Amino acid sequence: ELLNAILSRYQHNCHEKSVSFRTDIRSGCVDFMSDNDLTVLFCNLLDNGLEAASLLPDSFIELNVGRKSGTSLIVLTMINSCRVNPFSPSGRLITTKQNRKMHGFGLKSIKRIVEKYHGEMKLYYEEESHTFHTIIIFTL
């Protein structure tokens, strides 16, 4: 129910900013998380994705969560439109926020949740399609 409420909020926010929003969240895949952790993870991921996607025409956010067949792996993938590569040459994410002191708290919160549940996270930018990719894998 909580995740549905979060996704509904972002569906509305994306619609207001003309960002296409698609999700495929399989039943029971995030039941292992507390409500607080669920909120921190998904709200920060979607806040970051919406901020990047809202800068482009015909932009989108695609969020999928599912169990890898025959395994104990939960795979979360999010792909969102992103106008420019957000990584510096050294591999650090570059902020676009006005208040640079506020930069990085969302990503740090996401990393904290991933680590808490013994997960792994990979972030990368695909230049050709102007998309930012987040892949998080939890082993239950």
Side-chain angles (χ1 to χ4, degrees):
E1 288 181 26
L2 176 61
L3 185 54
N4 284 338
I6 291 168
L7 296 175
S8 178
R9 173 183 167 212
Y10 283 93
Q11 178 69 46
H12 174 78
N13 293 350
C14 285
H15 179 74
E16 283 186 336
K17 295 188 177 200
S18 300
V19 174
S20 174
F21 184 61
R22 297 181 296 273
T23 62
D24 182 2
I25 313 289
R26 296 297 156 155
S27 180
C29 285
V30 293
D31 290 350
F32 64 96
M33 285 188 195
S34 72
D35 286 351
N36 285 342
D37 292 342
L38 193 73
T39 301
V40 168
L41 179 65
F42 284 93
C43 288
N44 281 297
L45 281 171
L46 291 165
D47 277 345
N48 290 346
L50 184 55
E51 182 179 338
S54 64
L55 301 174
L56 283 168
D58 301 319
S59 59
F60 69 93
I61 296 173
E62 184 176 303
L63 175 65
N64 298 292
V65 182
R67 184 177 303 271
K68 195 77 167 163
S69 182
T71 72
S72 60
L73 300 177
I74 302 295
V75 180
L76 180 156
T77 60
M78 190 171 97
I79 303 170
N80 60 270
S81 300
C82 188
R83 187 173 50 85
V84 295
N85 187 344
F87 291 102
S88 71
S90 66
R92 296 183 56 113
L93 285 169
I94 302 168
T95 188
T96 59
K97 292 183 171 41
Q98 295 285 345
N99 182 351
R100 296 201 185 280
K101 291 181 181 177
M102 296 303 292
H103 173 66
F105 288 113
L107 187 57
K108 286 177 188 171
S109 297
I110 293 167
K111 286 180 180 177
R112 183 177 49 81
I113 300 303
V114 170
E115 289 170 2
K116 178 179 179 178
Y117 293 100
H118 310 290
E120 296 181 34
M121 180 169 65
K122 179 176 180 170
L123 308 171
Y124 66 94
Y125 180 73
E126 196 169 274
E127 194 78 45
E128 188 175 309
S129 62
H130 297 284
T131 53
F132 188 82
H133 298 248
T134 305
I135 301 169
I136 299 173
I137 299 174
F138 296 104
T139 305
L140 304 180

